[in-house]
Amino acid sequence: MDRRTYLATGVAAALAGCSELGGPGEPETNEERTDGADGPTENASDEPSDGADDEDYPDLVGTFDDFENLEEWWEWQDIGTLEADSTRSSGGSQSALLTSSPEDRGQVRVRRELEEPIDVREVAPGLDLATDTDAGVVRIQLQDENAHYVEYSQRFEGNMPLTRHNFGITRIRGEPDLSEVIVLQVIRWFGDDAEGRQWVDDFHFVPRPTGGKVMVQFHGGYESHYREALELVEEYDVPATAFVPTGRVREDDAVDGDRLTREQVDELAAADWTIGAQPANGQLLDQVDSDALEDAIVEPIDWLAEAGYDDGARFFAYPGSRYTEESYELVRDNYELGFAGRSRSQGYAGNPHLCSTTETPGPGEATDLLDWTVEWGGITTIPFYRLDDPETLEALEETLSGIDERRSADELEVITPAEMAENYVYE
């Protein structure tokens, strides 16, 4: 099938995502997000992707602070510096630039105290991010009057323009009253005695599922996904997704390798697995030559469509959660969802092309991960890679059995990428 014809069907039509990080050196004047969005305005609220009315969502959903006025923000405990940067923004006239120096212990913290408390029980915060380091983690803390807080975080890549990111709940301190949040705090740690710059813009909220949602994914197209996971997935009746580097699929067992054969991919699909895309060559996207990048990202669409996996051809997973500006834009232009990051219990996807995944759990860790999702809600996507050692298989079975137990108790819902694209995207 011709790629343009395929895209015209709408199956792989892109949702307008938001671009990400800022590279080193002087940024261009009035840099825009590469999602083509018009940029934030005070209390703006975009139309949700599923066509629902805005009144179906909490009042906080949309832009909360566009950093056009920094008077209400300050450097907490004088750690790092905060200033406006009019040369880079998500659509307004400026962004907030957070800078750390060695005397700041490699970190910067800025906060805003609200005149009136806000209720964040049904929303999740997010930011547009850019940095001059290779990668980083930004944390958002929402505090009550007793300084108890819920912390959201996300890992992101560097050397990109400002990009919207989906944050997930990764830490709780005390017993925060989420109906009475009075302090917003943004933290970036660059490392001991490290220097760095972090741009932030468009502090916004997206809806957050109050009930826990989970996805189980298998990345890399390894034969062990068929040999070890298929039977377990069927036993616990958990929907699964295999993200496959289509150029590495073996035609038959006669070809040496540890990747899936075409027949095995067909059997996974016949068992109701979603078959999604990874780069055709299976490489990390920051290691693919620029002249080969488009083929690596786009060719899997045709392969999957011709194999009859049109639904899965809408979804892409970044190997190692690594990407570049060019590769991110290609994913955004050709897929409905992309999966990367390192966080759990995220809210609705404010950027559908950087939906978060967790780290693969080890034995004993899956139970805590699932219980966390039950308690705090949101969407947790759990990826597995090679399944060639006993500990990984133990963790996989613990994950599947734990999901089955909590699903039976109506504590968790298992969703697919298609269900996330239809129901849990807010732009």
Side-chain angles (χ1 to χ4, degrees):
M1 178 185 295
D2 179 79
R3 171 173 168 261
R4 292 181 176 83
T5 302
Y6 180 68
L7 291 178
T9 67
V11 174
L15 299 172
C18 300
S19 65
E20 195 215 345
L21 299 168
E26 291 299 321
E28 295 181 3
T29 301
N30 293 329
E31 177 186 279
E32 297 180 354
R33 292 196 313 230
T34 59
D35 57 6
D38 293 332
T41 57
E42 187 67 20
N43 297 322
S45 182
D46 298 326
E47 286 295 325
S49 64
D50 59 6
D53 295 332
D54 280 345
E55 56 263 28
D56 293 335
Y57 294 97
D59 292 339
L60 278 178
V61 167
T63 295
F64 187 81
D65 193 318
D66 57 12
F67 296 102
E68 289 296 285
N69 183 351
L70 298 185
E71 290 182 0
E72 295 181 312
W73 291 87
W74 74 92
E75 301 93 340
W76 177 241
Q77 297 177 332
D78 294 323
I79 300 175
T81 59
L82 168 68
E83 61 185 316
D85 187 343
S86 61
T87 67
R88 179 180 303 224
S89 75
S90 293
S93 66
Q94 64 182 33
S95 62
L97 173 59
L98 287 56
T99 304
S100 173
S101 61
E103 52 267 28
D104 298 316
R105 295 171 291 171
Q107 61 180 302
V108 56
R109 298 169 179 250
V110 298
R111 64 163 49 190
R112 173 185 168 185
E113 186 169 339
L114 306 176
E115 294 182 2
E116 298 290 337
I118 57 175
D119 185 342
V120 301
R121 287 175 294 181
E122 296 182 353
V123 296
L127 284 165
D128 292 4
L129 303 173
T131 189
D132 62 358
T133 61
D134 289 338
V137 174
V138 165
R139 296 174 171 84
I140 301 172
Q141 292 178 354
L142 308 178
Q143 301 185 8
D144 67 14
E145 64 179 359
N146 297 314
H148 296 181
Y149 62 77
V150 56
E151 182 177 277
Y152 287 77
S153 70
Q154 187 55 271
R155 180 192 180 279
F156 56 96
E157 291 293 303
N159 302 311
M160 290 181 59
L162 279 161
T163 304
R164 177 161 293 185
H165 282 77
N166 307 302
F167 283 66
I169 301 175
T170 49
R171 186 164 65 155
I172 305 295
R173 178 178 176 179
E175 298 180 355
D177 182 353
L178 301 186
S179 69
E180 295 281 330
V181 165
I182 63 168
V183 171
L184 315 177
Q185 183 162 252
V186 178
I187 302 170
R188 172 69 198 274
W189 183 63
F190 294 91
D192 293 337
D193 301 326
E195 299 183 42
R197 295 182 295 174
Q198 175 69 54
W199 287 265
V200 298
D201 206 351
D202 191 14
F203 192 114
H204 61 273
F205 289 99
V206 297
R208 181 174 64 86
T210 53
K213 319 293 180 185
V214 293
M215 275 189 283
V216 177
Q217 299 179 352
F218 298 88
H219 294 207
Y222 294 106
E223 186 178 28
S224 57
H225 298 165
Y226 170 83
R227 187 180 66 247
E228 304 290 353
L230 177 57
E231 184 176 344
L232 279 173
V233 167
E234 288 182 324
E235 177 183 349
Y236 291 105
D237 192 25
V238 173
T241 299
F243 285 105
V244 178
T246 54
R248 293 194 174 184
V249 173
R250 295 179 293 150
E251 287 304 315
D252 53 54
D253 288 325
V255 179
D256 291 335
D258 63 351
R259 306 286 176 157
L260 291 164
T261 67
R262 175 60 183 275
E263 182 179 354
Q264 290 167 345
V265 173
D266 290 340
E267 289 193 44
L268 294 178
D272 293 328
W273 287 40
T274 299
I275 309 300
Q278 283 197 299
N281 56 18
Q283 287 183 277
L284 298 173
L285 290 173
D286 57 359
Q287 297 180 5
V288 178
D289 292 338
S290 181
D291 58 359
L293 195 57
E294 182 170 3
D295 286 345
I297 291 173
V298 175
E299 281 184 358
I301 295 175
D302 293 336
W303 192 99
L304 293 167
E306 290 169 4
Y309 311 137
D310 298 63
D311 187 60
R314 301 155 56 195
F315 314 122
F316 185 90
Y318 303 85
S321 291
R322 290 162 62 179
Y323 48 88
T324 61
E325 178 181 356
E326 184 180 4
S327 61
Y328 168 78
E329 290 179 354
L330 284 165
V331 171
R332 191 197 63 200
D333 291 342
N334 290 281
Y335 294 91
E336 288 190 31
L337 299 181
F339 289 89
R342 195 171 298 166
S343 192
R344 54 193 173 181
S345 291
Q346 78 159 65
Y348 279 47
N351 182 347
H353 300 99
L354 289 175
C355 299
S356 190
T357 64
T358 67
E359 295 188 36
T360 300
E365 296 175 347
T367 297
D368 292 340
L369 183 60
L370 296 174
D371 286 342
W372 182 274
T373 307
V374 169
E375 180 175 4
W376 294 103
I379 303 167
T380 295
T381 299
I382 307 172
F384 289 88
Y385 302 89
R386 281 187 174 92
L387 301 173
D388 293 335
D389 65 86
E391 288 190 353
T392 304
L393 291 174
E394 180 184 346
L396 173 59
E397 183 158 17
E398 178 188 332
T399 300
L400 296 172
S401 64
I403 288 173
D404 184 57
E405 177 184 342
R406 290 158 182 77
R407 178 180 55 185
S408 298
D410 292 327
E411 295 176 334
L412 277 180
E413 179 185 358
V414 188
I415 63 174
T416 65
E419 289 168 328
M420 183 166 186
E422 180 178 355
N423 300 312
Y424 300 108
V425 171
Y426 189 97
E427 297 180 277

